[in-house]
Amino acid sequence: MNGARAGHAGVLPARPGWASSVAWFWIWVGAIGAVLMVHLAFLVTWPDHFIHEDGGAYVIQAESILKGQYIEDAIKRPYGVAVFLVLLSKLFGPHILVFVVAQHLASVGTALLIAATVRMAGAPRFFALLAFLFAALHGRIIHYDNTVGAETITNFLVALAAFIAAGAAFRKWPVVLASAAVGLTLGAVMVCRSAAIGQAAVILLWLLSMLDAGVLRRLGAVALATVLASAVYSTPAAINAVIGKTAVGSESAAVMAFVVGYSGDFDHGVHLDRKAQARPFVEQMRAADTPSGWADGGEYQWPFGAVGRLKMPGDTDADLGRVVRDIFIETLTTPSTLYRHLTKHFLREMYFLLFDGNAVARQTPNPQAYEFFVKRDASPFFESPTGLKPGQLVQDYYKPWWPLSRLLPGADGVQLGLSQLMGRGYAPNSGLVKFCCGLKVSTEYDDRPGPIVWLSGATLLLALILLVGVPAGYAGGVRQLPRGLVAVGALMVLLALVSAAFPTFLIYGLNRYAYYTIPFLGGASAVLLWLSFDRIVAYRSRSKPSTRVTAT
């Protein structure tokens, strides 16, 4: 691995070390600055649409904690995001704008962590830079960074855990400390979003396979990480038990409802009397399903109606929850229903999510539409809604110091530049828009496949190459791939696919779930380009004629 890095540490020809370092420093400064400008353009264009469909719940939780009303809170959400918002409130003051700015910065940090992970695996600097840009500039990423929710902090913590695991594997960081840090980070991830258990499992298994240590030491390291992750994940429940806060339910029954409705067997199995009540409705909704899904996005929620029809007179919510759980387990443990769920639902929804294959599931809400949620979930405690208008942030806060004011554009010029930047495929538009060099791109808010198609295609191609190339290399059929490339490529592919597969298997391919996959799709795409470069370099080195002189 180190030899590979030494062989082609950059794509440009060799030059004095200090000059190369200075050049790359300014390249990174420019790249990070460009990314920050795109994030700022979103913030300025939609400066008061900071709550999406699920965002209000986290704001309510944070407010209840800060007001000392935690016990009376009845929101069915993990508490990690609320704790994050509380910490920000203690550090910088309770304001919705503080939360959103922190999310934008954390998102850029996520992209930097992915780039650093790719670089630690031995990638030339150029491909680490590509990983950063791919992970940071996707419109759907920046869109949801501009709204309070679990997306940004979850991706940041997953990327942080992957980075620490890569440090232990590639840079020989102390195993115990790295494992403890990975465990604490993964525990924090699952406190923010319990569905992140899939990414946590990938990182732990990858760490187990990649540590340069004996079997017992590897198992011990992963066991330490698992124990710490479980302890952190259990902390909110333990606190609730100590202070006497009673459980108000969870999202588990709601999640299981989708699997039950989409694929449950309503003709056989358990609770037949209850199933008989829901069978006509279920058959009607399944018959309305098409290869492209339902005609209306709201129709995807119909399993809730099916669950409601399972209820008997006198049933409590707990009774209905147990019924749903029983049918859910039956569905996943019966080969015929599980096969139906995989073929009729899961694979199709994965395609919708990764390749923008369904107009209904793909349609990304215009951020302007979040005004409804901001007003519905208004929080005067966090000064939401703020009343800010487009451009007002620049006019109010852009006041450079006197020496710089003569060199930098004025507030009007900055606002014009940000508006032009939004026109490069980020602002809603009914048609394709010009990006640069004659290239036209989707705006993410129309009915066309967006850039995620290219990232997903590259990721699946990398997965295929690794599945075929690694065994072929060990068998001697082809030249073996660099160890670091294989390792980090597999990590990025698995994180991307599991991030999509877990919610898609349980619910459906909602466009917002693509947020969790895009940074790792970007990392995998950069690794694929690194692989292509590595093969070209290897081919050219083999094809050069020998310069040895034979003695006569």
Side-chain angles (χ1 to χ4, degrees):
M1 178 192 69
N2 292 333
R5 180 184 291 130
H8 45 82
V11 174
L12 301 177
R15 63 186 66 195
W18 66 269
S20 177
S21 298
V22 170
W24 275 106
F25 171 79
W26 286 110
I27 289 172
W28 274 103
V29 168
I32 294 171
V35 168
L36 288 173
M37 288 299 290
V38 178
H39 280 263
L40 179 61
F42 264 76
L43 186 63
V44 169
T45 303
W46 294 293
D48 203 11
H49 300 85
F50 299 143
I51 303 293
H52 63 56
E53 303 96 309
D54 294 340
Y58 301 109
V59 173
I60 292 171
Q61 284 179 325
E63 182 177 346
S64 69
I65 293 173
L66 289 169
K67 286 183 174 180
Q69 299 169 349
Y70 174 77
I71 294 180
E72 286 73 30
D73 177 34
I75 301 297
K76 300 177 182 180
R77 288 290 189 278
Y79 277 93
V81 178
V83 171
F84 174 62
L85 301 182
V86 168
L87 290 175
L88 290 174
S89 298
K90 294 294 186 181
L91 290 172
F92 305 105
H95 198 290
I96 193 76
L97 196 57
V98 170
F99 304 158
V100 177
V101 170
Q103 287 193 159
H104 280 295
L105 295 177
S107 182
V108 177
T110 297
L112 287 171
L113 288 169
I114 290 173
T117 302
V118 172
R119 176 64 176 156
M120 281 197 295
R125 292 186 180 94
F126 176 74
F127 298 103
L129 178 64
L130 286 181
F132 169 72
L133 295 176
F134 290 158
L137 285 176
H138 197 289
R140 203 167 297 181
I141 286 286
I142 310 171
H143 171 150
Y144 287 108
D145 290 334
N146 207 54
T147 59
V148 175
E151 292 85 3
T152 304
I153 186 62
T154 298
N155 268 7
F156 176 78
L157 291 172
V158 170
L160 178 60
F163 170 74
I164 297 170
F170 299 134
R171 294 296 178 87
K172 304 298 184 292
W173 291 355
V175 173
V176 174
L177 292 178
S179 300
V182 168
L184 294 173
T185 305
L186 292 179
V189 171
M190 290 188 292
V191 170
C192 293
R193 182 174 181 258
S194 55
I197 189 172
Q199 293 106 304
V202 165
I203 292 173
L204 291 175
L205 292 174
W206 186 86
L207 183 64
L208 177 65
S209 64
M210 289 302 302
L211 282 178
D212 187 12
V215 175
L216 291 178
R217 195 176 183 194
R218 292 185 187 189
L219 291 173
V222 173
L224 173 62
T226 304
V227 168
L228 290 176
S230 301
V232 174
Y233 180 64
S234 303
T235 298
I239 293 174
N240 288 345
V242 170
I243 66 176
K245 179 178 180 178
T246 57
V248 294
S250 69
E251 294 182 287
S252 300
V255 169
M256 290 187 287
F258 286 97
V259 177
V260 169
Y262 289 147
S263 301
D265 186 348
F266 280 75
D267 294 317
H268 308 90
V270 298
H271 303 297
L272 283 176
D273 53 342
R274 297 172 181 270
K275 288 180 178 179
Q277 298 178 167
R279 187 183 301 120
F281 176 74
V282 171
E283 291 175 348
Q284 173 191 345
M285 297 309 301
R286 288 181 180 177
D289 190 10
T290 70
S292 297
W294 284 269
D296 189 322
E299 293 297 317
Y300 278 84
Q301 305 282 337
W302 70 261
F304 291 135
V307 168
R309 287 165 170 80
L310 294 172
K311 194 170 185 178
M312 292 286 193
D315 278 353
T316 64
D317 290 342
D319 294 331
L320 185 60
R322 283 191 290 270
V323 171
V324 173
R325 181 199 61 199
D326 292 343
I327 302 175
F328 173 80
I329 295 172
E330 177 191 55
T331 303
L332 298 189
T333 54
T334 304
S336 59
T337 52
L338 180 58
Y339 177 77
R340 183 192 192 283
H341 191 67
L342 291 173
T343 56
K344 284 281 292 180
H345 177 76
F346 172 69
L347 293 177
R348 185 187 69 175
E349 295 294 329
M350 281 287 285
Y351 172 75
F352 290 166
L353 180 59
L354 295 177
F355 291 96
D356 275 352
N358 179 338
V360 176
R362 176 173 67 243
Q363 193 71 27
T364 305
N366 184 329
Q368 201 69 30
Y370 292 145
E371 183 175 357
F372 165 78
F373 299 105
V374 172
K375 291 181 177 178
R376 184 195 69 179
D377 302 323
S379 176
F381 184 83
F382 294 115
E383 300 185 42
S384 175
T386 64
L388 294 169
K389 305 299 180 185
Q392 186 174 323
L393 284 168
V394 176
Q395 296 293 340
D396 290 349
Y397 296 101
Y398 178 73
K399 295 177 174 53
W401 295 338
W402 175 79
L404 295 176
S405 61
R406 293 181 173 273
L407 302 175
L408 298 176
D412 291 338
V414 171
Q415 179 61 55
L416 177 62
L418 294 175
S419 299
Q420 291 175 341
L421 186 59
M422 287 298 295
R424 304 291 183 180
Y426 290 110
N429 192 302
S430 58
L432 298 177
V433 297
K434 292 182 179 180
F435 179 68
C436 74
C437 313
L439 178 66
K440 292 185 176 181
V441 296
S442 168
T443 66
E444 293 291 334
Y445 308 105
D446 53 35
D447 191 32
R448 297 175 178 82
I452 192 175
V453 170
W454 300 101
L455 298 179
S456 298
T459 299
L460 294 180
L461 179 58
L462 176 64
L464 179 62
I465 292 173
L466 294 180
L467 287 172
V468 175
V470 173
Y474 280 113
V478 297
R479 179 176 174 270
Q480 287 192 9
L481 299 174
R483 174 179 175 269
L485 187 153
V486 172
V488 77
L491 177 62
M492 292 296 159
V493 167
L494 290 172
L495 285 175
L497 295 183
V498 169
S499 298
F502 205 91
T504 299
F505 181 87
L506 292 175
I507 307 177
Y508 52 87
L510 180 65
N511 64 73
R512 181 155 54 88
Y513 298 147
Y515 183 98
Y516 299 102
T517 73
I518 288 171
F520 307 107
L521 292 175
S525 301
V527 173
L528 177 66
L529 294 176
W530 171 24
L531 172 62
S532 303
F533 173 72
D534 181 83
R535 296 296 92 179
I536 292 171
V537 170
Y539 175 78
R540 291 183 62 183
S541 64
R542 289 199 305 270
S543 62
K544 285 182 179 179
S546 175
T547 57
R548 288 188 302 172
V549 177
T550 304
T552 58

